[in-house]
Amino acid sequence: MSKGNNGSTTGPTGLSRRSFLQGGALVAAGVATAALAGCGADTEARQPGVAPSYVASEPESWDKEADMVILGCGIAGACAAVEAHDLGLSVLVVEALDDIKKCSCTLSGGWLCGVNTELQEIDGIEDDIEIFIKDVRRCGGDFGDPDVIRAWGEISGETVDWLEELGCDVVQRTFDAKTAGSNSHSIARDYMTNPIGNGLGWMVGLEGAINERGIEVLYETRATTLCRNEAGRVVGAQVATKDGQTLNVKGTRGVLVSTGGIGGNIDMWATYAPAMRVIKEEAKTVLSAAPQTCMGDGLAMIHAVNGYIYPTLANYGGGGVVVDPNEPANAILLPYVWSDNLIEVSSEGKRFNNESDFSEYFSERPYQDIPGMWHVVVFDDAARQSADGQAHAQPIIDDAAANNITDTVVSADSIEELAEAFGIPAQGLKKTIDEFNGYVESGGPDPFGRVLFDRKIETPPFWGIEQDIVVATSKG
């Protein structure tokens, strides 16, 4: 059971929409999740003689049945599955991957925020839901739904505590200007799990909770169609197994769609996020920070039953690195969490932003101002050998070497040789590095507002990692 502090009843006899959302569907850190227990038209509400705007698609028979059918088992679906089970429901989960730990959460940076957690209380950190809401709305450009943001904030702290109780190894990260991994929040409310640097720890804990409860998960099975009865109610789904078999699965109490949003479907992104139309045309390459199985299936199914899809912004940055032809999104280099002596340069060899600022990473500016919207992260071997270099760059270097990738991850004995490898003007790159080293001597700030200058870029071999536009998550 999740801990409740709002007076709502939990358990098989006290299941309510709020109590279920409290434990599962809404706690997923902004992952698009839709509960479709009653989606569709109501025959009693239609005017007599008016034909329904849908075609009933309930099959003659069902292959599997459960109280709650959950489509997708990332962090959203996994949380919902555990909570639904603990509320006394039978649960059936459908997952396209062969392992829930390969989901978007694992590929993410791994941060989860929570207000008034037990760890905050232990550390004497005072927090407030109103400050949380202001932080989220500020960082989201005030495009978010205020009611959803408030609901998320109200349950965020107990969600972090609940995940820790389930077995996730939760670590509180207190950020300052020197170690800024996220300056989204004005109060220390960021949490990660071990291993630091991705979201694997969340999914390891949730996988253990699912296995401990014996919740049935149909792996390597993709949901394709939502099924509606004559009254328009969503009552189940058609799913396709790896071997091509079609199964009809029934949800007697409801169907939850948590398939990961738009993911890597760039055409769908261009449909739902107009800014992506420009990016699709102008960017040299557009990568996705989602697994290859995440292609907007859920949104397509919701659209097919006339479900409402909240418009989403193009949440993208310039951190995608190709180190595996089959999974290009597996390598995302985030300079703002590693800013001692690296720079980002355009194809012209020029810096264009404050590499240490989170707000510079996920924003339309500055990437739309550089040719092809791609750039190269440049650092020296001293930086590679530093703690941050080993945490953030070395795994990418190792993966590239293992996959014989030599065009996106390059080392060179000289700046001129490095520039030639990426087709960057050598004189321009050398001038840029000399200017950066000058700011190290003076302490800055530079014209971009950067104030973090620890070491010069001067120790060979010199490293360059090409980064392309990467679409992060669809939050809508």
Side-chain angles (χ1 to χ4, degrees), residues 230 280 304:
E230 292 290 342
K280 181 181 175 183

Side-chain angles (χ1 to χ4, degrees), residues 12-134:
T13 61
L15 177 65
S16 67
R17 180 176 183 273
R18 178 169 178 79
S19 64
F20 180 61
L21 289 177
Q22 180 176 344
L26 200 60
V27 303
V31 177
T33 307
L36 296 174
C39 181
D42 184 348
T43 52
E44 295 181 359
R46 286 202 312 269
Q47 295 181 1
V50 177
S53 60
Y54 59 89
V55 177
S57 55
E58 185 174 7
E60 294 182 359
S61 62
W62 298 95
D63 298 295
K64 287 182 172 291
E65 182 176 317
D67 292 330
M68 179 63 66
V69 169
I70 296 173
L71 308 180
C73 198
I75 190 170
C79 285
V82 172
E83 181 71 354
H85 174 276
D86 290 357
L87 288 169
L89 302 180
S90 60
V91 181
L92 176 64
V93 183
V94 177
E95 171 53 49
L97 291 164
D98 61 358
D99 184 338
I100 69 172
K101 298 190 298 296
K102 296 180 180 179
C103 68
S104 297
C105 176
T106 294
L107 297 180
S108 75
W111 284 300
L112 187 66
C113 60
V115 180
N116 294 323
T117 63
E118 291 180 353
L119 286 175
Q120 280 184 319
E121 183 177 353
I122 292 172
D123 290 342
I125 299 173
E126 295 185 5
D127 207 345
D128 186 278
I129 182 64
E130 300 303 327
I131 299 175
F132 170 90
I133 292 171
K134 290 180 180 179

Side-chain angles (χ1 to χ4, degrees), residues 387-447:
D388 280 344
Q390 289 297 295
H392 301 290
Q394 193 63 54
I396 291 175
I397 293 171
D398 293 342
D399 286 344
N403 291 296
N404 295 315
I405 301 294
T406 59
D407 56 344
T408 58
V409 180
V410 177
S411 66
D413 293 330
S414 68
I415 297 299
E416 290 79 6
E417 183 183 346
L418 187 69
E420 181 180 1
F422 290 104
I424 295 174
Q427 185 175 358
L429 179 58
K430 191 172 187 312
K431 178 181 177 182
T432 296
I433 292 176
D434 288 342
E435 290 175 348
F436 174 82
N437 289 343
Y439 290 119
V440 175
E441 291 181 354
S442 67
D446 67 9

Side-chain angles (χ1 to χ4, degrees), residues 240-260:
T241 64
K242 182 181 179 180
D243 59 10
Q245 182 183 6
T246 298
L247 300 177
N248 298 314
V249 296
K250 183 177 183 179
T252 59
R253 299 287 292 274
V255 174
L256 189 83
V257 179
S258 53
T259 53

Side-chain angles (χ1 to χ4, degrees), residues 143 262 265-283 286 311-317 362-365 367-368 373 469-471:
F143 283 100
I262 299 175
N265 191 330
I266 304 304
D267 290 334
M268 185 177 285
W269 267 106
T271 297
Y272 289 107
M276 284 300 298
R277 299 169 194 170
V278 177
I279 296 168
K280 181 181 175 183
E281 293 177 358
E282 295 187 0
V286 182
T312 185
L313 296 175
N315 187 4
Y316 70 92
F362 285 114
S363 65
E364 292 186 6
R365 197 197 70 77
Y367 301 104
Q368 288 190 349
M373 301 179 73
I469 290 298
V470 57
V471 179

